[in-house]
RNA sequence: GCGCCUGUAGCUCAGUUGGAUAGAGCAACGGCCUUCUAAGCCGUAGGCCGGGCGUUCGAAUCGCCCCAGGCGCGCCA
């Protein structure tokens, strides 16, 4: 499993007080200090020794196998000099054996997971801020599937509510409209509602009819929201984002399961009708610690339900599907709301989906706003990226057919867009800048892809396919080779940490670092013209292993590794 | 005002959950294509890790207090 098992085994055998999990390896800051380092902090704490004492003890008392040439204490670390060839051969052999599954610990074997993400209101084209939700969600799904979870992806279609009602009001004949028309109408409708109280009131009335289940009203809502949803899903599909289930909010009005929740709230004395005849939950009775956000309105005075009401039913519906892991990706503006929902669910004896939050993508001028036209739409972002990539492809591969050029350009564009958004921790506010977001050089998706094509090119020129097992003679002559091997060996722990933390950004960082280490190797170590046949074979296997790891990492990010670019 | 998130090179971001001399890219400057794809590489320069006090062998990382930005806080979703 671990590349350094022989070291670990020897230590726990000779110092039985230590266990495998007390022993953590790290690459040394400089490779001339050693081939790999063992940290003595954790073990020292356990044996109540000072780290340098334990390091010295390990170096002195443990008798290591032939793979360890030297074990030297260095302060709180033990630096090992290894038989790089023997260890390197084992690393590449393992990667070859596990192939597309290398890096997966199978954490989710036999576990059902339900992930809800995107869930944009069906009234606008997704902008890059919303795309952050979809991309994080989609990559989490890929990460969980990589760890063998059985994942079902849900998209909650908010096909109800005041804003949708207003949109429906101005869409007389949706059949004649396009997705883009609808976006224009949406803005108009909202402006009109602000100025025209009567129009706004009509919206509420329509909403009431919708809740009462009036079939004609329902049909109109569906027509409008379907068109929007199709437009949204088409844009997201270009990025490789797909869903298993579309759950309509309108299917959760007057849900019988809500009664059980209301019952529980009454029992806790937290449900009341306020002076304006609204049905309200006093969350303080359920343990909410602050005055702010204490009240949660479920029903309007006219008896129509608020968003949260339907969301409660929907969440219960998701919980009852029997997934052991229930995840939802939410904008950070939903934090308080999710806590409120969670208190109510808890009071009614339900669990709460685990939340993954992300912060907004801002413009230099400030927040994005669909209504004010201050947005970067995902579709225009993708178009621009594809166009720029196509230019580059045209220069690079003029003889390729236009179709192949286009396909190549799209893969590069998707890589650029997905990587630019995914590599940043979701808690960070990022400022969107066209120049850096559309860059194909430096810390980008295309850079990682480029490393893959270089490897593919070497393997192609070699001609014959490699034997599945690396040869027993496996020379490792340069630090660049060893550095790359160490990096490859770290993939499984990177993946499992990412899965446990529900974080996908570390995978992107890992892919970048791996690509950089490969490039160093590429420039320092000729493969096809290596000095000896043995060295050439070892390097070919190292190339193949690197390609496999990069493919697996990129797969989690939803990025294609290509043969050429 | 209260709560949550963020603050690291001029700019955009990493930093293996408290560990060795804080790392990349972009921008700038200087080099490298008869040599496996220059969407690349090498080099130079760039740091009070927002500020202060603490916790300990040891802090960018943990705690408290400030400062700045983002988000949220009763008939929007």
């Amino acid at each position: 499993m671990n590349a350094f098992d022989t070291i670990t085994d020897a230590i726990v055998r000779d110092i039985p007080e230590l266990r495998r999990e007390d022993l953590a390896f790290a690459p040394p800051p400089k490779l001339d200090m050693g081939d790999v380092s063992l940290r003595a902090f954790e073990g020292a704490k356990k044996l109540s020794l000072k780290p340098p004492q334990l390091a010295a003890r390990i170096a002195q008392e443990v008798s290591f196998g032939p793979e360890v040439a030297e074990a030297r204490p260095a302060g709180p670390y033990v630096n090992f000099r290894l038989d790089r060839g023997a260890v390197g051969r084992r690393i590449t052999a393992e990667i070859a054996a596990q192939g597309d599954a290398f890096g997966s610990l199978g954490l989710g074997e036999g576990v059902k997971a339900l992930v809800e993400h995107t869930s944009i209101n069906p009234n606008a084209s997704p902008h890059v801020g919303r795309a952050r939700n979809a991309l994080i969600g989609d990559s989490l799904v890929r990460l969980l599937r990589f760890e063998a979870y059985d994942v079902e992806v849900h998209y909650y279609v908010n096909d109800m509510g005041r804003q949708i009602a207003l949109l429906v009001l101005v869409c007389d004949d949706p059949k004649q409209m396009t997705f883009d028309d609808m976006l224009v109408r949406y803005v108009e409708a909202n402006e009109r509602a602000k100025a025209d109280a009567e129009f706004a009131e009509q919206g509420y009335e329509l909403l009431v009819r919708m809740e009462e289940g009036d079939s004609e009203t329902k049909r109109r809502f569906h027509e409008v929201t379907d068109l929007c949803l199709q437009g949204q899903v088409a844009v997201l599909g270009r990025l490789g984002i797909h869903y298993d289930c579309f759950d309509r909010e309108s299917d959760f009005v007057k849900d019988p399961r809500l009664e059980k929740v209301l019952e529980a709230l009454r029992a806790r004395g937290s449900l009341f009708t306020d002076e304006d005849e609204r049905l309200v939950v006093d969350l303080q009775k359920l343990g909410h610690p602050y005055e702010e956000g204490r009240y949660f309105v479920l029903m309007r005075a006219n008896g129509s339900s608020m968003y949260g009401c339907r969301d409660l039913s929907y969440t219960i519906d998701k919980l009852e599907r029997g997934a052991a892991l229930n995840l939802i990706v939410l904008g950070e503006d939903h934090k308080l709301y999710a806590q409120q929902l969670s208190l109510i669910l808890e009071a009614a004896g339900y669990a709460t989906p685990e939340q993954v939050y992300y912060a907004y993508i801002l413009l230099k001028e400030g927040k994005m706003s669909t209504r004010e036209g201050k947005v970067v739409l995902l579709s225009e972002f993708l178009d621009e990226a594809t166009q720029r990539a196509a230019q580059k492809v045209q220069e690079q591969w003029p003889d390729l057919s236009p179709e192949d050029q286009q396909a190549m350009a799209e893969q590069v564009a998707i890589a650029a867009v997905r990587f630019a958004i995914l590599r940043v921790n979701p808690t960070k506010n990022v400022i969107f800048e066209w120049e850096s977001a559309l860059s194909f050089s430096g810390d980008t998706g295309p850079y990682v892809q480029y490393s893959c094509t270089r490897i593919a090119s070497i393997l192609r020129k070699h001609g014959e396919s490699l034997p599945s097992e690396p040869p027993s003679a496996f020379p490792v002559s340069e630090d660049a080779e060893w550095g790359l091997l160490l990096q490859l060996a770290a993939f499984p722990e990177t993946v499992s940490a990412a899965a446990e933390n529900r974080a996908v950004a570390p995978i992107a960082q890992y892919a970048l670092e791996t690509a950089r280490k490969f490039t160093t190797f590429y420039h320092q170590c000729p493969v096809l013209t290596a000095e000896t046949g043995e060295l050439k074979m070892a390097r070919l296997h190292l190339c193949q292993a690197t390609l496999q790891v990069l493919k697996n990492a990129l797969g989690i990010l939803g990025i294609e590794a290509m043969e050429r670019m």
Side-chain angles (χ1 to χ4, degrees):
Chain A
M1 168 73 54
N2 191 300
F4 309 111
D5 271 353
T6 51
I7 299 178
T8 325
D9 291 346
I11 295 175
V12 297
R13 186 194 59 222
D14 291 350
I15 307 183
E17 306 97 288
L18 288 175
R19 298 183 151 227
R20 299 183 57 102
E21 53 268 30
D22 302 325
L23 303 169
F25 291 90
K30 290 263 161 61
L31 280 178
D32 55 13
M33 300 167 76
D35 294 330
V36 73
S37 304
L38 176 74
R39 302 152 40 90
F41 303 104
E42 292 80 2
K45 192 167 271 179
K46 187 163 180 184
L47 304 193
S48 34
L49 289 172
K50 294 203 163 151
Q53 291 178 316
L54 178 62
R57 208 182 137 187
I58 289 172
Q60 212 165 43
E61 291 179 17
V62 179
S63 56
F64 295 99
E67 281 188 8
V68 176
E70 184 191 36
R72 195 172 28 161
Y77 293 87
V78 186
N79 290 331
F80 293 92
R81 203 147 305 269
L82 304 174
D83 176 348
R84 290 180 169 185
V87 178
R89 201 200 91 92
R90 260 194 308 125
I91 294 170
T92 51
E94 176 150 345
I95 294 169
Q98 296 193 24
D100 291 345
F102 175 76
S104 172
L105 268 49
L107 297 173
E109 199 73 60
V111 182
K112 258 190 84 173
L114 189 157
V115 180
E116 182 203 328
H117 67 80
T118 314
S119 302
I120 309 168
N121 295 344
N123 55 18
S125 189
H127 59 66
V128 298
R130 302 258 178 256
R132 199 176 194 183
N133 185 319
L135 285 172
I136 289 168
D138 180 66
S139 293
L140 278 173
V141 168
R142 290 168 187 267
L143 174 60
L144 292 173
R145 285 187 173 147
F146 187 70
E147 280 291 2
Y149 283 88
D150 175 18
V151 187
E152 200 171 83
V153 188
H154 286 248
Y155 185 127
Y156 188 46
V157 185
N158 301 135
D159 62 347
M160 284 201 61
R162 198 181 82 93
Q163 303 198 4
I164 304 297
L166 295 175
L167 178 62
V168 170
L169 275 180
V170 296
C171 293
D172 302 320
D173 190 2
K175 285 197 187 69
Q176 302 299 313
M177 293 174 72
T178 64
F179 182 43
D180 292 325
D181 295 334
M182 205 143 281
L183 308 181
V184 176
R185 286 302 178 78
Y186 171 69
V187 176
E188 286 170 7
N190 273 281
E191 272 166 13
R192 188 169 156 199
K194 248 189 240 168
D196 180 350
E198 197 178 324
F199 178 72
E201 189 49 42
Q202 280 172 18
Y204 281 116
E205 283 165 15
L206 194 63
L207 205 52
V208 172
R209 280 213 293 285
M210 179 68 181
E211 277 208 54
E212 283 165 352
D214 177 68
S215 58
E216 169 62 13
T217 311
K218 240 178 156 166
R219 192 190 58 76
R220 286 176 67 193
F221 268 66
H222 276 210
E223 233 169 31
V224 170
T225 51
D226 269 341
L227 185 64
C228 286
L229 182 60
Q230 279 166 27
Q232 292 170 337
V233 168
V235 177
L236 295 163
R238 285 176 70 188
L239 279 171
I241 303 170
H242 303 286
Y243 308 86
D244 297 317
C245 306
F246 293 92
D247 307 325
R248 286 187 162 277
E249 182 184 350
S250 57
D251 290 336
F252 293 94
V253 290
K254 305 224 159 94
D255 190 289
R257 286 168 289 196
L258 188 65
E259 215 21 70
K260 192 181 155 195
V261 175
L262 296 180
E263 209 44 62
L265 294 175
R266 272 187 213 106
R268 299 282 292 266
S270 65
L271 195 65
F272 70 100
T273 306
D274 73 0
E275 61 277 13
D276 297 320
E277 299 295 312
R278 296 173 296 193
L279 188 66
V280 182
V281 186
D282 181 358
L283 296 165
Q284 204 157 63
K285 297 258 176 26
L286 307 177
H288 184 75
Y290 309 104
E291 190 60 29
E292 294 76 21
R294 172 178 173 179
Y295 298 106
F296 190 86
V297 178
L298 288 176
M299 303 269 197
R300 298 186 178 91
N302 69 2
S304 66
S305 62
M306 297 275 291
Y307 176 81
C309 209
R310 288 160 253 141
D311 204 10
L312 279 169
S313 305
Y314 175 53
T315 305
I316 291 168
D317 188 82
K318 285 197 296 178
L319 291 168
E320 287 178 346
R321 286 167 185 264
L325 175 62
N326 215 304
L327 266 185
I328 182 165
V329 182
L330 293 171
E332 65 174 353
D333 52 334
H334 281 62
K335 266 188 186 174
L336 175 61
Y337 170 77
Q339 277 168 30
Q340 293 173 324
L341 219 60
S342 170
L343 279 172
I344 296 174
L345 286 165
E346 196 185 314
Y350 290 104
T352 303
E354 196 183 317
Q355 302 122 38
V356 174
Y357 291 106
Y358 66 95
Y360 278 156
I361 296 179
L362 307 170
L363 297 174
K364 264 174 273 182
E365 306 79 48
K367 204 180 159 182
M368 288 195 197
S369 160
T370 307
R371 295 185 205 171
E372 294 170 46
K374 288 196 312 188
V375 279
V376 178
L377 292 181
L378 181 57
S379 57
E380 58 175 322
F381 184 29
L382 256 174
D383 289 342
E384 182 67 28
T386 309
Q387 208 181 343
R388 288 200 196 188
Q391 240 168 43
K392 184 89 189 174
V393 170
Q394 168 63 30
E395 292 164 18
Q396 208 81 7
W397 304 93
D399 298 336
L400 224 54
S401 74
E403 298 79 42
D404 288 348
Q405 283 189 6
Q406 182 63 19
M408 195 182 279
E410 262 166 39
Q411 289 306 327
V412 173
I414 290 167
V417 170
R418 290 192 67 122
F419 199 90
I421 292 177
L422 288 174
R423 83 183 186 98
V424 180
N425 276 328
T427 50
K428 285 218 185 201
N429 273 126
V430 305
I431 308 218
F432 183 88
E433 277 166 17
W434 282 102
E435 315 87 69
S436 57
L438 287 181
S439 169
F440 299 150
S441 56
D443 286 355
T444 64
Y447 173 79
V448 181
Q449 285 180 312
Y450 188 61
S451 302
C452 294
T453 62
R454 281 175 150 177
I455 298 172
S457 175
I458 291 173
L459 296 174
R460 205 164 44 234
K461 290 204 165 135
H462 174 62
E464 15 189 315
S465 60
L466 297 178
S468 56
E469 280 256 321
S472 54
F474 197 91
V476 174
S477 67
E478 301 290 324
D479 277 356
E481 295 166 287
W482 179 248
L484 181 56
L485 282 162
L486 271 183
Q487 175 72 11
L488 299 183
F491 187 53
E493 57 196 72
T494 305
V495 172
S496 52
E500 278 159 19
N501 295 329
R502 324 289 187 217
V504 107
I507 303 289
Q509 296 298 339
Y510 175 86
L512 257 188
E513 191 55 38
T514 307
R516 272 194 222 112
K517 292 238 158 76
F518 170 76
T519 307
T520 304
F521 158 81
Y522 178 86
H523 284 278
Q524 284 176 20
C525 307
V527 177
L528 298 176
T529 58
E531 293 129 37
T532 68
E534 286 183 352
L535 192 56
K536 175 176 167 180
M537 281 314 287
R539 287 179 176 169
L540 279 166
H541 275 93
L542 178 52
C543 283
Q544 177 122 309
T546 305
L547 181 58
Q548 181 65 255
V549 171
L550 284 175
K551 270 185 180 166
N552 293 4
L554 288 178
I556 292 170
L557 302 171
I559 295 172
E560 200 78 28
M562 295 173 291
E563 270 285 313
R564 297 164 219 269
M565 66 184 273

